[in-house]
Amino acid sequence: MDKGLGAGIGDIISHFQNSSCSDGVQEPCIWASPGGARKIDIGKQIFCNRSLNMKNIVAVGFDMDYTLAQYKPETFESLAYDGTVRKLVYDLGYPEEVCLLIVYACVINNLLEWSFDWKYMVRGLVLDKKRGNILKMDRHKYVKVAYHGFREMSKEEKVEAYGNTLIRDAFDEPDYALIDTLFSLAEAYLFAQLVDFMDNNPGKVSKSTDYVRMYKDVRAAVDLCHRDGTLKQMVAKDPKTYINEDRSIVPMLKMLRESGRSTFLVTNSLWDYTTIVMNFLCGSHTLDGGITCNSDWLLYFDVVITGSAKPGFFHEDNRANLFQVEPESGMLLNTDNGTPMPQVGDISPGLLLKEKNGTCRIFQGGSVGHLHKLLSIESSSQVLYVGDHIYGDILRSKKVLGWRTMLVVPELEREVELLWELRDLRKKLHLLRNERDLIEDQIHHLKWSLKSEGIDVDEQRKMCTRMDDLECQRDKARLSHQEAQRECHQKFHKVWGQLMKTGYQNSRFAHQVERFACLYTSQVSNLSLYSPDKYYRPSEDFMPHEFDIIPL
């Protein structure tokens, strides 16, 4: 089995695979470059759930936050965490004894027990607001890993809470909160800390406060951070500290546009923040590594829509007004469904020039109906939209509109590389599981045989001895299997294990990726490694009865 893209393309492009691209930062390696069509590292590949022929795509759209702009979790999530705690203290009146501990711990970095570990939480978890539990479940919504605060719950506790009901729990709002975005990791961690504090210090927390109230307060504090610009002001001052640079974004956008496709940006961020972030990602770099401030990044898009209020933006019956943005001042101008309207008073010369030259049009608000009209989209299936939010970007655009979708999963790069490294351990797990099944089948057969009539005493004794030996073998095999499972689980994440799996089942998060994302990959610029006309084809689906019949 080939670790890279070779499996599936074979000798057809073998003459490309030894080609090399310049390692200089100014010339990222893309498919369209002379040495571009080469073997793609497994962590950079695009994976396909549903066939997608790029020749049928006329417009490619992008979200900005955590899609084009990949935030650094060690700095950005810590910033979000610290801002949320301060809102709890100064805006929501939380006990200073609790919150000052947290704030102080943030500042002095791990010298106190309460500090922020940005690696602890992962996407795909579910918060049980009523019980104060954090859950990871499989695609069938069976809880496989559960913590109360930071205390691991026993098997008996999990069954008592989630397995002894006549009606299956849907694990949806309002009783549960879904941690499906990277923006949610800091609030989930803070919620777990508050659960632990309340349990360990019952006299120091108001009797009227319960887990639900604490979650609401944390959620409100997070919203305050976003509404008053606390986070974005810090990022805008120093983007390099909080956002990863990716020199492949501009070549990717250029390649898409040169292939004859329209490109657009739809973000919930407003124009003032959007232009700072996009200028950092796509702006001109100076010799000393700095970035010149201009609007050159607009050359890579046909339409930019800010303040889109996704996921509501994707509903065609959305009646939100569409305003045109004057880029120099940020002023909003009325439009007639995207068509410029005569304005009372002076109009910026810069805006008239852009309209005349037919370059990027910038808007705020509106709905998907406006976007289709602006880009002359005749069919929703002609649009590919790339985002990071399984609900806000992918589910709505796929389910409501029928857009083609690509989900960006930054965690995927490390996950697939680990899968490759641990392939021998996973093979061992498979063999141990089969061994357990075989031994258990033999034990069950002996137990039933002992019930049969006509077996003499000596034969019964031999069968009992054999069964004792098999039970010892079973216990050893079970212990070996459990230890190997634990080792594999902790290689991915010490607490939550593999992002896309819980045991042998796909995780709830993986199930959503499979259902709603036509394509998924680790970062948006991986598109630059493939032909803009590529036909993405999924692997064949297999039912359990096929695995031992069809050679893989």
Side-chain angles (χ1 to χ4, degrees):
M1 179 179 177
D2 191 348
K3 180 179 176 182
L5 186 64
I9 294 183
D11 296 333
I12 298 174
I13 62 166
S14 61
H15 65 286
F16 287 122
Q17 294 187 348
N18 293 322
S19 301
S20 61
C21 293
S22 170
D23 291 326
V25 293
Q26 299 298 327
E27 297 292 337
C29 181
I30 65 169
W31 183 88
S33 60
R38 63 175 186 172
K39 186 173 174 180
I40 301 174
D41 184 79
I42 192 169
K44 303 290 187 184
Q45 290 182 24
I46 294 175
F47 302 96
C48 179
N49 287 320
R50 274 173 293 285
S51 296
L52 194 160
N53 188 349
M54 286 294 291
K55 287 185 177 180
N56 297 329
I57 299 298
V58 301
V60 182
F62 302 89
D63 176 40
M64 184 178 75
D65 296 311
Y66 273 117
T67 300
L68 289 171
Q70 282 297 323
Y71 292 92
K72 299 177 182 180
E74 64 272 25
T75 55
F76 183 79
E77 294 301 331
S78 295
L79 182 68
Y81 175 88
D82 186 42
T84 301
V85 169
R86 293 180 184 278
K87 295 298 180 186
L88 286 174
V89 178
Y90 302 117
D91 293 74
L92 299 177
Y94 258 60
E96 289 197 14
E97 181 178 0
V98 178
C99 293
L100 288 178
L101 273 174
I102 307 174
V103 173
Y104 187 52
C106 279
V107 173
I108 64 177
N109 190 20
N110 292 329
L111 292 183
L112 292 178
E113 182 181 356
W114 281 32
S115 57
F116 177 52
D117 181 0
W118 60 270
K119 295 181 179 179
Y120 185 88
M121 293 296 176
V122 298
R123 276 202 287 182
L125 302 178
V126 177
L127 301 190
D128 184 340
K129 301 177 191 177
K130 288 186 175 180
R131 299 183 180 95
N133 298 337
I134 304 169
L135 317 173
K136 184 181 180 186
M137 56 190 69
D138 66 18
R139 65 190 181 98
H140 303 294
K141 295 188 177 180
Y142 285 105
V143 175
K144 295 298 182 73
V145 184
Y147 279 75
H148 179 75
F150 293 106
R151 177 183 64 80
E152 186 174 9
M153 295 172 65
S154 66
K155 183 178 180 180
E156 293 73 24
E157 287 177 309
K158 287 186 287 187
V159 171
E160 177 65 26
Y162 305 107
N164 283 339
T165 57
L166 292 174
I167 301 175
R168 286 289 310 282
D169 200 324
F171 296 101
D172 290 327
E173 293 282 359
D175 295 334
Y176 298 89
L178 310 179
I179 307 303
D180 286 318
T181 74
L182 293 169
F183 279 120
S184 303
L185 302 185
E187 68 185 66
Y189 191 85
L190 181 54
F191 176 69
Q193 286 183 307
L194 291 173
V195 167
D196 270 8
F197 185 87
M198 190 171 86
D199 290 350
N200 298 326
N201 302 274
K204 296 179 181 179
V205 179
S206 170
K207 292 182 179 179
S208 63
T209 300
D210 58 11
Y211 301 131
V212 174
R213 168 66 187 276
M214 286 196 306
Y215 177 77
K216 286 181 179 177
D217 288 343
V218 170
R219 182 67 253 165
V222 171
D223 288 341
L224 281 171
C225 286
H226 287 283
R227 281 206 304 270
D228 67 7
T230 300
L231 299 180
K232 292 183 175 179
Q233 286 172 8
M234 294 296 292
V235 175
K237 287 179 182 177
D238 185 14
K240 193 170 186 177
T241 298
Y242 301 102
I243 304 174
N244 289 313
E245 290 187 72
D246 189 345
R247 299 290 180 87
S248 296
I249 288 177
V250 167
M252 174 195 72
L253 293 169
K254 283 182 177 179
M255 184 172 71
L256 287 172
R257 290 173 67 79
E258 288 170 3
S259 71
R261 290 165 180 86
S262 300
T263 54
F264 64 92
L265 177 70
V266 177
T267 175
N268 285 353
S269 294
L270 298 178
W271 168 251
D272 56 347
Y273 183 72
T274 299
T275 190
I276 290 172
V277 172
M278 292 305 299
N279 188 68
F280 170 76
L281 292 171
C282 303
S284 304
H285 291 257
T286 59
L287 292 176
D288 61 359
I291 297 175
T292 57
C293 294
N294 53 47
S295 296
D296 286 352
W297 67 271
L298 291 171
L299 297 173
Y300 310 123
F301 295 94
D302 294 280
V303 173
V304 170
I305 296 183
T306 63
S308 62
K310 292 178 296 183
F313 177 84
F314 294 121
H315 288 279
E316 288 194 302
D317 57 355
N318 182 350
R319 294 294 179 261
N321 291 326
L322 184 69
F323 299 96
Q324 188 158 5
V325 178
E326 202 285 317
E328 283 77 15
S329 67
M331 181 175 65
L332 300 183
L333 304 174
N334 290 319
T335 73
D336 181 9
N337 291 323
T339 303
M341 293 178 63
Q343 308 292 323
V344 176
D346 294 333
I347 301 177
S348 166
L351 180 60
L352 290 174
L353 179 63
K354 285 187 176 296
E355 289 176 355
K356 184 177 179 181
N357 291 342
T359 55
C360 179
R361 292 164 290 175
I362 311 160
F363 300 94
Q364 178 173 311
S367 69
V368 70
H370 293 126
L371 180 64
H372 284 172
K373 180 181 176 182
L374 290 166
L375 294 172
S376 301
I377 300 297
E378 296 178 357
S379 169
S380 292
S381 62
Q382 295 176 318
V383 180
L384 172 64
Y385 187 64
V386 188
D388 72 289
H389 194 319
I390 198 76
Y391 281 100
D393 292 323
I394 303 303
L395 185 151
R396 295 296 181 186
S397 59
K398 180 70 180 175
K399 208 170 182 180
V400 177
L401 300 174
W403 279 5
R404 308 312 302 272
T405 54
M406 185 168 95
L407 181 69
V408 175
V409 187
E411 309 97 311
L412 186 65
E413 183 168 357
R414 178 177 176 273
E415 178 125 333
V416 295
E417 288 172 352
L418 271 174
L419 282 172
W420 178 258
E421 292 172 13
L422 298 174
R423 61 195 183 280
D424 291 336
L425 177 58
R426 289 167 61 83
K427 190 180 297 182
K428 177 184 174 182
L429 272 169
H430 179 73
L431 294 174
L432 284 169
R433 196 183 193 206
N434 288 344
E435 182 184 351
R436 282 181 66 180
D437 286 344
L438 180 62
I439 294 171
E440 286 172 357
D441 286 344
Q442 293 179 60
I443 291 172
H444 294 155
H445 183 261
L446 281 171
K447 284 182 177 179
W448 279 98
S449 297
L450 283 168
K451 295 178 182 179
S452 301
E453 297 179 1
I455 300 178
D456 60 37
V457 176
D458 288 341
E459 186 66 22
Q460 285 184 345
R461 190 180 298 115
K462 288 179 182 178
M463 292 172 71
C464 287
T465 301
R466 173 62 178 156
M467 192 161 63
D468 289 342
D469 291 341
L470 285 170
E471 287 176 343
C472 287
Q473 292 178 37
R474 179 198 60 193
D475 293 342
K476 289 179 181 178
R478 181 171 57 196
L479 183 61
S480 297
H481 184 242
Q482 288 173 345
E483 288 176 350
Q485 264 190 319
R486 190 178 302 109
E487 180 185 355
C488 189
H489 177 94
Q490 293 183 345
K491 289 284 187 181
F492 288 94
H493 193 283
K494 289 188 179 297
V495 177
W496 306 109
Q498 193 176 340
L499 178 70
M500 298 289 189
K501 282 279 192 293
T502 51
Y504 287 95
Q505 294 288 308
N506 281 351
S507 66
R508 172 184 162 275
F509 182 74
H511 183 53
Q512 293 168 339
V513 173
E514 188 177 34
R515 286 180 67 194
F516 301 117
C518 301
L519 309 174
Y520 62 101
T521 191
S522 60
Q523 58 189 48
V524 68
S525 56
N526 292 344
L527 269 173
S528 69
L529 304 176
Y530 292 81
S531 165
D533 293 324
K534 181 174 176 58
Y535 197 137
Y536 293 93
R537 295 180 175 90
S539 58
E540 182 182 353
D541 289 340
F542 285 101
M543 291 287 287
H545 69 273
E546 296 178 283
F547 280 107
D548 293 330
I549 300 173
I550 301 174
L552 303 180

